[in-house]
Amino acid sequence: MDFSNPFKGGSGGAGAKAGKMFDRLQESVGLKEKEESLLGDLEDSISLTKMQRLYGFGICLGLGILLSFLSTFFLFPIPKVKKFATCYTLGNLLSIGCTCFLMGPWNQIKNMMKGHRILATGCYVGSIVLTLLAALKYNNLILTLIFLLVQMGALVWYCMTYVPFGQRMLKSCVGRCVGDFDDW
């Protein structure tokens, strides 16, 4: 008897979900051997409900925004560059990482590496590294603030990859506000 999955072949939607469910059913009754994934049984043991995912997302995003905001207190009255850059960057990473609760860490990484996002991801990660390098190794406030501005811009650019035509709209808005760079 052929117990192959009749739902396979769909690229998404209900057919793909039914196919996954049919595969799990076959595995549970012993008709199909379970495929080992990259993370093994860890994926199966860690499962969150939708509500837990939303709480995790909200808490992580809230902490990220709070850390980014509180980091400004390390600039006044005497700038503490290392604490400021570390706190701000950690807040940014928490804000980006909060989506791991919604889609899972592996899917988040795969989404970040898609063709239309790879440049924005690279700029963002590079700016994080340069911000931390300027603060922790060189302890240079001006250089840290420059890379921090680059980091903010890269984060906005990265976020706009998730909005349809977002980068194109952002280019248009900046072009209207600043003017053509050829005029400078």
Side-chain angles (χ1 to χ4, degrees), residues 60-122:
C60 204
L61 181 63
L63 284 175
I65 292 170
L66 182 67
L67 274 175
S68 295
F69 173 73
L70 290 178
S71 68
T72 57
F73 291 115
F74 288 120
L75 287 177
F76 305 105
I78 300 169
K80 296 178 179 113
V81 180
K82 292 179 182 180
K83 289 181 180 180
F84 166 71
T86 305
C87 189
Y88 184 83
T89 301
L90 183 61
N92 255 349
L93 290 174
L94 277 171
S95 296
I96 284 291
C98 70
T99 56
C100 289
F101 281 100
L102 298 179
M103 66 176 72
W106 185 243
N107 285 334
Q108 172 74 11
I109 291 170
K110 286 195 295 191
N111 277 335
M112 291 175 81
M113 298 303 157
K114 285 185 177 176
H116 63 284
R117 281 193 194 106
I118 190 74
L119 182 63
T121 301

Side-chain angles (χ1 to χ4, degrees), residues 18-37:
K20 244 184 189 176
M21 190 170 60
F22 190 75
D23 284 341
R24 286 186 182 163
L25 178 66
Q26 283 180 329
E27 289 170 2
S28 66
V29 295
L31 294 174
K32 180 179 174 185
E33 199 165 308
K34 185 175 180 180
E35 297 175 18
E36 284 298 319
S37 66

